Structures are given as structure tokens and as C-alpha cells.
Amino acid sequence: MNNLFSIFIAMAIVNNMVLAKFLGLCPFFGVSKKLSNAISMGIAVTFVMLLASVSTTVIYNYLLVPFHVEFMRIVLYILVIASLVQIVELTIRRTNIILYNALGIYLPLITTNCAVLGIALINSQESYNVLQSTISSLGAGVGFSLVLIIMSGIRETLDLGESPESMKGLPIAFITAALLAMAFMGFSGMV
Amino acid sequence: MSVIWIVIILSAIGLVSGILIFIVNKVLPREPESLKRAEQVAQYLPGYNCGACGYPGCFAYAQAAAEDKDIITKNPCATVLQDESMLSGIEEALGLEIDTSQMNKKAVVHCYGVTVPLGDYEGIKTCDAANSLVGGFKRCSYGCLGFGDCAVVCPQDAITIDEVRNVAVVDPDKCTGCGLCINQCSKGIIELVPADSNIVFRCSYESLKDIPGRERCDEGCLHCRKCFKACEHDAIIWNREKGIPEFDFSKCIMCGECIEACPHNRLIELKNVVPHKPALKK
Ligand code: SF4
Ligand code: SF4
């Protein structure tokens, strides 16, 4: 139990996908302009991470390891993640067209979101079992959403304030992200 | 041995994923009809995502059009109006007849552009910046500043800057009449005219508000009203406030009388905006 909890905290905060591992930066900057979009993107990514981790761990532990073909994991993971995203995209598109439009180009981008592949690879690197990798991907997803939500809150406020003309938009966002990353460095070594 | 396993595992996983996607596709409710229509419409849109129609991208425009067909005529996509095949595709997808006679437009710049600079301009090289500085650095404060703010926004690369005369020139073949350049021009000297009207007037100098005559520009309008008097079809309206002619293209038959009459015959030009493609359906 303790072990699971520390995996969760480690993935969510200490080894945060965006701010400590610098994975998944494109949705981080692309979708963090509005809080509502950030929340839905966070949920979508968490969901895909969860699905991807569970299925890749099953494949890794019960297919790749017994047959000694672990070195094929990147190819396989990409295949699995791509089809998962396809399914998620289809589902969102058919059931909630407004959310689909709001996510726009970033939805297919989840496929190429390195954070999703990253969490799958981390799980197999640490040889987590299914339960552990579920928790770790949940942690990673929560951490990703957390950072996205913090960032969108800051950026919404920044839009109202007066930043210098040349700093408006992405420049100030990058600076903010750097400051956030430094703040998150304070957690390192906690778990 | 492991090679065989790789092949088997890869194909098995690929197969399973394919079947899963197939099942999900079957199980989920069908897409709403309007979305399908939007996709059909989007096929015939140019895909520039220039935003000139006021929607964030071509697909958003297609969705709006699929829900409300009137949008195609009320808020036409300028590129589509230029292209018979796109147009007929959209007509088919939405099941309507589009009457383009009133919609097909081209941009023209109302300046000939030779006026002498007052001095060297050292500031930021955009028309907007130069204009905010006492209205620019040229003797004529109405004319084109020639830094090409308009050329930057044009999604078709239709605008070039004539280096010699220092003026923006629109290529009528490339211009789709989207109108993005009009808002960008800080001098407000770009106008959309019907694409098949071949008359351009190349001056914006408002004599009555400023020093009369040709103090400001050697090539500018003389305000003699000779063109106005020469036109027998009432196609020229004399703008009393600005002291320059304006054209009523619905009356103009392109006889060229005004051009003959103008002592400064570069100012009114014929066959300048004519698209080399035949004009669309009348
Ligand atoms: S037409 Fe207007 S925007 Fe274009 S170069 Fe001339 S002044 Fe600038
Ligand atoms: S010249 Fe102006 S109206 Fe014509 S395509 Fe370019 S931006 Fe649009």
C-alpha cells in the first residue's frame, strides 16, 4: 500500500511528466490557454495513459518477457497507443462534438504525445506489475493535468494583466513554465 | 527463433487493435447529419485556414455552413468564388444555387505611389509604425507607405511592393478578394471592387482637406473633374468631401472616356483588375 502511494506521488509530483521530465510539452503549451480546455485535455490524456499503461504492461509482462522480445517494445507501444487514441477520438467525436472541437488538433496529438509513450516505457523499465503501472500512470496523468491546470490558471490571469507587448503570448508562457519547473524542483528527492 | 515470435506478436496485436477499432466504430452512435455535410463542404474549401471569413479555420466555416446554408452567400469564402470546381462542389454538397455575380471581388490600391519622402525614415519598418508618426514620412499623407503590412497578411501572396514607385500592387490573378489587407492598411486606401470591373483610380489625395492642387504629389489627382464630366453613363460620382472621383461599377460600361479625359492619364487605368479567368456565372 505504502509502495503504491509513493509510486503515485513520485509520478504526479516528484517526477512530474511536464516539469521534471519535459515530456508532453506541445499539449502543455497548446492547450493551457483556457482552464476548461486544460481540464478536458488533462482528463483525455490521463484516460489514454491509463489505458495505454495497462495494455502495454500486460503485453510486456505476458508476451514480450516470456518470449524474450523486450527490445521490440517501442514499436509495439506506438502501435497500441495509436489504436487506443483512435478509439478515444472516435468515442469523443461521436458522443461529444463540442469537446471534440475544443480539443481540435490536440486530440490526435495525444498519439504522438511523448508523455504517453514515456509512461509506458517507464513502467516496463521499472518492471511494474499491472496494479503498480495503473497507479503510476494515474499519477502521471494527474500530474500532467495538475500542471496543465495550474498553467492555464496563470495564463488566463496573465492575459488580463499587462505584460510587455513583446512578451505577450508564448514568450511569457515559456518564462512562466520555467519558473514552475524550478518550483517543482523543490520536490526532488522527496520520494 | 525470436524473429518468428516478433512477427507473430506484432501481427496479433495489430489484428486485435484493428478489430477493436472496428467494433467501437460499429457500436457508437452514428455521426450527426450536419457533421457529415460539413465534412463534404470542407472537402471543397481551400484549406488555407486564413480566417478571412471570420471563422477559426476552414472546417469551422464548413460546420457553420452545414447548419445554416445562407452563410455561403452572406459570408462567402473568397477563394471558393474564384474557382468553378470548388463552387460547384459546395453547391452540390449543400444543394443550392450560388449566385456569385455580386460577390466576386478584387482588391485595388488607390495610390500611384511616387510622392517624394519628406526625409529619411529610420523607425520600425511597418506602415502602422510609420503612420503613427505624423501620418508617415511622405509629402502626401494619404498615399501608400510601401512597407507592405498588407503584403504580410495576404494569404495568397497577391500583394507585392513596387520598389521604384514605393507602392503596394495587387496581382489580380492571385487576389481572391478576401479583404484581409483592407483592415491592415493604416492609410485605408485598399478597396474591394467587383472583379469584372476593369477601372482603377489610383489616388486617395483629399484635396479639400489639404493643400489644394498638386503641392503634395506630382502624379496625384488634379481635382479638375474632367473625368466626371466626360462620363456619359453617370458612373462617376464626384466625392465632394474628398474632391476625388468614385466609381459606380454597376453603371460603368468600361468605355474608357474618363481615361481619355483625364489630363493625368495614369490615374485612371483600364483593364487593370481584369482576372484572366472568365468571370463567373452572370
Ligand atoms: S497599401 Fe497600405 S498597408 Fe499596403 S503598403 Fe501601402 S500603406 Fe502599407
Ligand atoms: S490582396 Fe487583399 S483581398 Fe486579395 S487575397 Fe490578398 S489579402 Fe485578400
Side-chain angles (χ1 to χ4, degrees), chain A residues 59 63-64 67-69 71-72 75-76 79-80 82-83 86-87 90-95 97 101, chain B residues 2-3 5-6 9-10 13-14 17-18 20-21 24-26 28-32 35 39 59 63:
Chain A
I59 289 172
L63 271 177
L64 302 190
F67 293 105
H68 304 294
V69 284
F71 55 88
M72 285 300 290
V75 180
L76 272 174
L79 184 73
V80 171
S83 31
Q86 196 75 45
I87 292 174
L90 258 178
T91 318
I92 297 185
R93 188 188 162 118
R94 296 281 175 78
T95 50
I97 187 73
N101 283 338
Chain B
S2 66
V3 177
W5 283 121
I6 293 169
I9 292 175
L10 255 180
I13 290 179
S17 317
L20 262 182
I21 294 180
V24 169
N25 194 8
K26 280 275 167 264
L28 284 174
R30 298 276 95 206
E31 320 199 317
L35 194 72
E39 236 154 43
F59 193 72
Q63 269 178 308

Side-chain angles (χ1 to χ4, degrees), chain A residues 7-118:
Chain A
I7 289 179
F8 183 85
I9 293 295
M11 285 319 289
I13 294 178
V14 184
N15 294 328
N16 186 284
M17 275 291 159
V18 182
L19 294 181
K21 291 209 167 1
F22 303 111
L23 294 174
L25 287 177
C26 41
F28 176 59
F29 284 109
V31 197
S32 64
K33 261 186 238 121
K34 257 174 77 191
L35 187 60
S36 53
N37 289 358
I39 293 175
S40 26
M41 184 70 181
I43 293 173
V45 169
T46 312
F47 185 59
V48 173
M49 276 183 172
L50 204 65
L51 286 181
S53 293
V54 173
S55 42
T56 51
T57 311
V58 170
I59 289 172
Y60 184 76
N61 288 353
Y62 302 108
L63 271 177
L64 302 190
V65 175
F67 293 105
H68 304 294
V69 284
E70 295 96 327
F71 55 88
M72 285 300 290
R73 59 174 186 263
I74 293 190
V75 180
L76 272 174
Y77 289 1
I78 290 176
L79 184 73
V80 171
I81 292 170
S83 31
L84 277 176
V85 172
Q86 196 75 45
I87 292 174
V88 172
E89 189 184 344
L90 258 178
T91 318
I92 297 185
R93 188 188 162 118
R94 296 281 175 78
T95 50
N96 190 345
I97 187 73
I98 299 167
L99 179 60
Y100 179 78
N101 283 338
L103 291 179
I105 181 72
Y106 297 102
L107 196 53
L109 267 185
I110 300 177
T111 332
T112 47
N113 186 340
C114 39
V116 178
L117 184 62

Side-chain angles (χ1 to χ4, degrees), chain B residues 109-111 126-128 142-151 159 161 166-168 181 184-190:
Chain B
V109 180
H110 291 304
C111 181
T126 67
C127 307
D128 205 16
Y142 295 100
C144 174
L145 293 168
F147 287 121
D149 288 14
C150 50
I159 303 184
I161 302 295
N166 208 349
V167 66
C181 51
Q184 198 64 27
C185 178
S186 33
K187 288 296 184 190
I189 56 171
I190 310 183

